[in-house]
Amino acid sequence: MSVGKVYLVGSGPGDPELLTLKAIRAIARADVVVYDRLVSERILETIGDGTAQINVGKQANFHPVPQAEINEILIRLGRAGRTVVRLKGGDPFIFGRGCEEAAELEAAGIPYEVIPGITAAQGCAAAARIPLTHRGLASGVRYVTGHRKANEPLDLDWASLADPDTTLVVYMGLSNIEEIVAELVAHGLPMSTPVLAVCQGTTPGERRLCTRLAALADAAREAAFSGPVLFIIGRVAGLALERSGNDDATIDAISVVA
């Protein structure tokens, strides 16, 4: 039996219409789809009835299928001649561990291809109609993860992240948001800095929280978000505050109807 092929596919932030044509074609030809927790139900519904599905989703402090086992699944299916789609939320190479899987596939001699997806920062910002960069507001953008494996302490370059001329996007930071706020303020970012938090972005369940850095930790706790949350910190988030009609908002949880 000839060796199969594995496609490392980004499914985007949740809206199936944000899948790329290349991703759709790969899913359509797949024998097996190995998918993560962050892949939305609406995207899973696009998988054909005859395609096998394997759920390997992980969440904070609960990894029912360890990464090493996921790597073994992909290699085993590839060696069995299967066409495999490894479906990940967002983009497979942005906080998605896709590079680790690619390295294991390459070492095992399994052909693979990377199909990028719209990462959550782009998708959530676009859905909220705010830019990540804007002349006069932000000359650059930084993506960081607000979570470390095994709950290790965050080890980030806080001095460079606390730059008022840069938009800071924090992935997976809800559980550590108090520490993140404290470090940014301690390193000089004004407490009045606008923040947009987005939960389940681009899906029918999307919720947004507009606030300022000083109130962020309490506001996020009060919002009781359910699902992945992305934080967009910087002057560009002020455009969302202005649009909410309350520029001095401390807590402004907005349920968004598609």
Side-chain angles (χ1 to χ4, degrees):
M1 182 179 294
S2 61
V3 174
K5 184 172 182 177
V6 177
Y7 294 86
L8 304 174
V9 178
S11 69
D15 184 348
E17 292 189 346
L18 294 178
L19 283 166
T20 66
L21 288 174
K22 198 166 189 178
I24 291 170
R25 291 181 184 127
I27 293 170
R29 73 170 69 99
D31 299 313
V32 185
V33 174
V34 180
Y35 65 93
D36 277 350
R37 179 179 67 93
L38 295 182
V39 178
S40 72
E41 287 295 327
R42 291 198 297 164
I43 287 176
L44 293 177
E45 289 169 1
T46 68
I47 300 172
D49 292 338
T51 304
Q53 300 182 35
I54 301 176
N55 181 354
V56 295
K58 299 187 288 289
Q59 54 186 316
N61 302 316
F62 181 60
H63 297 176
V65 185
Q67 186 61 49
E69 187 175 337
I70 295 172
N71 298 340
E72 292 172 2
I73 289 171
L74 298 178
I75 292 169
R76 183 173 69 250
L77 291 171
R79 284 177 174 161
R82 301 290 190 266
T83 298
V84 182
V85 162
R86 172 68 172 106
L87 197 57
K88 293 174 171 289
D91 181 274
F93 277 11
I94 296 182
F95 305 126
R97 305 187 73 168
C99 189
E100 296 176 36
E101 294 169 359
E104 293 294 329
L105 291 167
E106 190 159 341
I110 307 297
Y112 70 92
E113 182 177 339
V114 180
I115 299 179
I118 294 175
T119 190
Q122 296 168 306
C124 292
R129 296 178 296 162
I130 65 169
L132 291 173
T133 61
H134 189 284
R135 185 166 54 183
L137 294 179
S139 58
V141 58
R142 297 277 297 274
Y143 297 166
V144 299
T145 175
H147 177 75
R148 286 286 188 265
K149 65 179 181 179
N151 294 320
E152 294 175 359
L154 295 177
D155 183 20
L156 300 173
D157 184 356
W158 297 108
S160 69
L161 295 178
D163 178 5
D165 295 321
T166 298
T167 301
L168 175 63
V169 182
V170 182
Y171 289 68
M172 301 172 284
L174 183 59
S175 62
N176 290 320
I177 196 59
E178 292 185 357
E179 178 185 354
I180 292 166
V181 169
E183 290 287 358
L184 291 173
V185 171
H187 286 83
L189 194 63
M191 296 179 72
S192 60
T193 301
V195 182
L196 176 66
V198 184
C199 179
Q200 299 187 53
T202 78
T203 74
E206 176 175 322
R207 295 180 64 216
R208 301 179 193 149
L209 170 68
C210 301
T211 187
R212 296 189 182 277
L213 196 61
L216 177 57
D218 290 339
R221 212 170 20 249
E222 184 170 328
F225 288 127
S226 175
V229 181
L230 185 91
F231 296 95
I232 300 174
I233 303 171
R235 293 176 185 142
V236 295
L239 299 175
L241 276 174
E242 293 172 10
R243 197 172 293 121
S244 74
N246 187 358
D247 188 51
D248 293 322
T250 54
I251 299 175
D252 185 11
I254 306 170
S255 294
V256 179
V257 179

